[in-house]
Amino acid sequence: MTSDELREKYINFFLKRGHERIQGKSLLPENDPTVLFTTAGMHPLVPYLLGEDHPAGKNLVNYQKCIRTGDIEQVGNYSHLTFFEMLGNWSLGEYFKKEAIEMSYEFLTSPEWLGIPAEKLGITVFAGDEDAPRDDESAAVWRSLGIPEDRINYLPKADNWWGPAGSTGPCGPDSEMFYDTGRDSCGEECRPGCSCGKWLEIWNDVFMQYNKNSEGKYESLVRKCVDTGMGIERTVTILNGKKSVYETDVFIDIVAAVEKATSSTYGKDDEIDKSIRIISDHIRAATIVLGDTRAVTPSNVGAGYVLRRLIRRAVRHGRKLAGEAVPFPLLSPIAEVAVEKLKGPYPEIIENTSRIRDELDKEEKKFLETLTKGEHEFEKLLPNLLKNPQKIMSGRLAFKLYDTYGFPIELTEELAGENGLSINREEFEEAFRKHQELSRAGGDQVFKGGLADNSEIVTKYHTATHLLHKALRVVLGDHVAQKGSNITAERLRFDFSHGAPMTGEEIKRVQDLVNEQIGKKLPVSMEIMELEKALAEGAIAFFGEKYEERVKVYSIGQKGEEFTKELCGGPHVENTGSLGKFSIQKEQSSSAGVRRIRAVLVT
């Protein structure tokens, strides 16, 4: 079974069971400062899991592109991926554990659908603790379906619990489905959920039934929701009896392109295979990020830094495979193959093909220049290093090359070895660990993941972005389109398409226009309507964004005299008079053809 066939089967299965198909969203979460990328299929549905009504109804199904980089060092093994696709079905207060588990089991094991032998399935459920009882309800459903007790494993919160992302909010136990790969177990205690490699997770049913309040207590939710997810890549691997995701239709053409570009062969050497897998994964991920409807370019901060790291790591492994014979460009020809594979489920990538190629070539060239500079700096250090009778280069010095010049430690070790030197790797790792701790401390708000802040002030900023968007279009022209939005409780950051810096006069006109609408105390209203009707009535939508047939439209102003009308999921204030004074703090470049405004609300 191919990945396309799996995607289609999953959607059709849940359509036949009363679900409505909804569109997957951008990799760049709108108005959510807590994550850099969409990290799970549930992420775009957070407002609805929190209680908002979805235009498509209560039972939903979709597929969603996701990026995770927290375990990037594990990429290169058989199953870890940076970019992956999640299939998901959702119930917003309609059905719960019994129905969700029974549908999961049917889709997995029925010959009409995936036909996985039931004896190959293992299950984990929440073991219970002082906050919530053991999930005997889910375990009982699995037993009723024929899963024996020795293949049902009870695990703690760290393994079988979702949320809350922050200190408070919706959360609950989950039940995970694992496939027995047939590999040898790690011992008598090996059961589903073990990380030894025998059991591979393929599906997760999350049951949001509690709310953690400000006192740390877990209260039962009135509206209980189901959030499930199945990874396309891992499931296709299992269905086709493959040992690795890189042997499936998802990757096979990309791997062949890497082999050709680096003059290497997959399947003959473990180290070579690992480098080929890393390049394949990272270029596939970089391609989907660069091809997204919301622009991201390589940079030293945020999502741009993640993208830069993926590209440069791929270049480094390309050099590792091909040495000085590595061609330029190395990456963009591989990306062209990835585009061909991804353009079916994600047609927006076609419109951005030239951008993908240009940005990859530009970043690859820049990194090669960085490598040249790093090699030059090493040469300058070499005379003193050779005077050291122990022939050891300090880890702190190696880390300086990494931190200051972006020179990879592996290349420093390679150059050192060529000159009869070794590196104090423990000292390097210690310096690197301290660097990570500092970075992590500064980025807790960005990387913590999960639910966005939906406090009163964030809601005000969200509404203010609508006024800002419209004001920019009035002052600069209708070519202005939102390219990204990042909101915290302290400020809003708004990216928009525009080819030149704004003048001081333009900035003042935009600011004054927003404040004028605030001063008018305009009502904010929401209406659910057909997408075609919303667009016909002039509602602003993201170019290239995927929308459902029925959408939420937020209008600011009296009906028939609206200042702005925009497709959006919320949240919003009820009247602009509650926003306070709008002040633009900075206007600057974000990327080619994209400007960025930072603004605050002053009460």
Side-chain angles (χ1 to χ4, degrees), residues 452-471:
D453 182 358
N454 61 346
S455 63
E456 181 181 354
I457 183 61
V458 169
T459 300
K460 289 181 178 181
Y461 274 118
H462 187 120
T463 307
T465 61
H466 286 255
L467 296 175
L468 174 59
H469 192 183
K470 179 63 176 182

Side-chain angles (χ1 to χ4, degrees), residues 370-433:
T370 296
L371 293 179
T372 300
K373 189 170 184 178
E375 288 168 349
H376 177 67
E377 291 299 321
F378 180 88
E379 292 297 327
K380 286 164 60 177
L381 295 170
L382 190 57
N384 283 332
L385 292 172
L386 292 174
K387 292 177 183 178
N388 182 345
Q390 294 180 317
K391 303 298 183 186
I392 298 176
M393 179 180 185
S394 78
R396 288 191 300 272
L397 199 55
F399 180 75
K400 182 180 179 181
L401 285 176
Y402 167 82
D403 191 39
T404 305
Y405 303 104
F407 200 68
I409 180 62
E410 291 83 2
L411 294 186
T412 303
E413 285 184 319
E414 186 178 312
L415 291 173
E418 291 172 357
N419 290 277
L421 300 167
S422 61
I423 293 175
N424 187 331
R425 191 63 187 256
E426 286 185 10
E427 196 174 74
F428 174 86
E429 296 296 344
E430 176 64 17
F432 184 73
R433 183 185 61 77

Side-chain angles (χ1 to χ4, degrees), residues 244-390:
S244 163
V245 295
Y246 298 93
E247 298 173 11
T248 67
D249 75 290
V250 175
F251 274 102
I252 193 166
D253 291 340
I254 299 174
V255 167
V258 175
E259 289 179 301
K260 180 180 178 181
T262 59
S263 300
S264 55
T265 303
Y266 187 73
K268 293 186 177 181
D269 179 272
D270 289 344
E271 280 303 305
I272 290 175
D273 288 355
K274 184 176 180 180
S275 289
I276 290 175
R277 289 194 291 263
I278 288 171
I279 297 169
S280 299
D281 168 88
H282 286 9
I283 295 311
R284 179 173 175 260
T287 298
I288 200 75
V289 172
L290 287 166
D292 197 80
T293 52
R294 299 176 188 172
V296 175
T297 53
S299 69
N300 288 326
V301 294
Y305 175 72
V306 173
L307 177 59
R308 170 164 284 170
R309 187 181 179 197
L310 292 172
I311 295 170
R312 293 189 170 193
R313 197 164 183 243
V315 172
R316 181 160 61 79
H317 279 274
R319 280 173 58 104
K320 185 177 179 181
L321 291 175
E324 295 300 322
V326 64
F328 179 85
L330 168 69
L331 306 184
S332 55
I334 301 170
E336 289 176 5
V337 177
V339 167
E340 284 300 308
K341 184 62 188 173
L342 294 166
K343 69 181 184 181
Y346 307 106
E348 64 271 15
I349 207 170
I350 302 171
E351 299 169 1
N352 294 305
T353 300
S354 60
R355 180 172 176 272
I356 295 167
R357 181 189 62 247
D358 294 345
E359 290 294 341
L360 285 175
D361 288 350
K362 190 191 307 180
E363 185 62 20
E364 184 178 343
K365 183 179 180 181
K366 188 180 294 185
F367 186 46
L368 291 174
E369 292 170 355
T370 296
L371 293 179
T372 300
K373 189 170 184 178
E375 288 168 349
H376 177 67
E377 291 299 321
F378 180 88
E379 292 297 327
K380 286 164 60 177
L381 295 170
L382 190 57
N384 283 332
L385 292 172
L386 292 174
K387 292 177 183 178
N388 182 345
Q390 294 180 317

Side-chain angles (χ1 to χ4, degrees), residues 41 74 118 152 173 202 221 252 259 284 316-317 344 350 364 366 392 431 461 485 510-511 513 516 539 558 586 602:
Q74 294 186 54
I152 300 175
I202 55 173
L221 286 171
I252 193 166
E259 289 179 301
R284 179 173 175 260
R316 181 160 61 79
H317 279 274
I350 302 171
E364 184 178 343
K366 188 180 294 185
I392 298 176
Y461 274 118
S485 177
V510 168
Q511 181 175 285
L513 187 54
E516 181 183 337
Q558 297 293 341
K586 184 183 290 186
V602 182

Side-chain angles (χ1 to χ4, degrees), residues 105-310:
Y105 181 80
E106 181 184 0
F107 183 72
L108 286 170
T109 62
S110 170
E112 181 184 355
W113 301 103
L114 298 191
I116 294 174
E119 60 270 19
K120 282 285 191 178
L121 289 183
I123 307 298
T124 61
V125 295
F126 178 52
D129 58 18
E130 66 277 6
D131 296 323
R134 191 170 83 160
D135 191 5
D136 290 321
E137 184 181 353
S138 292
V141 178
W142 285 115
R143 284 195 295 271
S144 73
L145 295 170
I147 302 296
E149 193 67 45
D150 63 354
R151 280 194 275 124
I152 300 175
N153 196 13
Y154 296 86
L155 294 176
K157 266 201 182 85
D159 300 286
N160 279 78
W161 185 273
W162 184 91
S167 58
T168 62
C171 53
D174 63 32
S175 183
E176 301 178 5
M177 285 140 269
F178 292 81
Y179 178 81
D180 184 351
T181 63
R183 296 191 180 103
D184 292 336
S185 69
C186 59
E188 291 183 4
E189 298 300 316
C190 185
R191 299 190 70 187
C194 181
S195 60
C196 71
K198 178 176 176 59
W199 297 96
L200 186 67
E201 182 189 346
I202 55 173
W203 199 336
N204 185 6
D205 288 353
V206 177
F207 307 116
M208 280 177 273
Q209 64 185 104
Y210 297 100
N211 178 67
K212 184 181 179 183
N213 64 25
S214 57
E215 297 176 355
K217 295 180 179 179
Y218 291 78
E219 306 166 326
S220 183
L221 286 171
V222 175
R223 189 176 90 164
K224 296 176 174 63
C225 295
V226 173
D227 154 20
T228 88
M230 168 185 273
I232 287 182
E233 294 87 353
R234 286 188 177 188
T235 306
V236 166
T237 303
I238 289 167
L239 295 174
N240 288 282
K242 303 295 183 181
K243 294 181 179 179
S244 163
V245 295
Y246 298 93
E247 298 173 11
T248 67
D249 75 290
V250 175
F251 274 102
I252 193 166
D253 291 340
I254 299 174
V255 167
V258 175
E259 289 179 301
K260 180 180 178 181
T262 59
S263 300
S264 55
T265 303
Y266 187 73
K268 293 186 177 181
D269 179 272
D270 289 344
E271 280 303 305
I272 290 175
D273 288 355
K274 184 176 180 180
S275 289
I276 290 175
R277 289 194 291 263
I278 288 171
I279 297 169
S280 299
D281 168 88
H282 286 9
I283 295 311
R284 179 173 175 260
T287 298
I288 200 75
V289 172
L290 287 166
D292 197 80
T293 52
R294 299 176 188 172
V296 175
T297 53
S299 69
N300 288 326
V301 294
Y305 175 72
V306 173
L307 177 59
R308 170 164 284 170
R309 187 181 179 197
L310 292 172

Side-chain angles (χ1 to χ4, degrees), residues 558-569:
Q558 297 293 341
K559 191 169 182 63
E561 300 177 356
E562 298 93 341
F563 175 72
T564 181
K565 181 179 287 190
E566 194 164 341
L567 275 61
C568 188

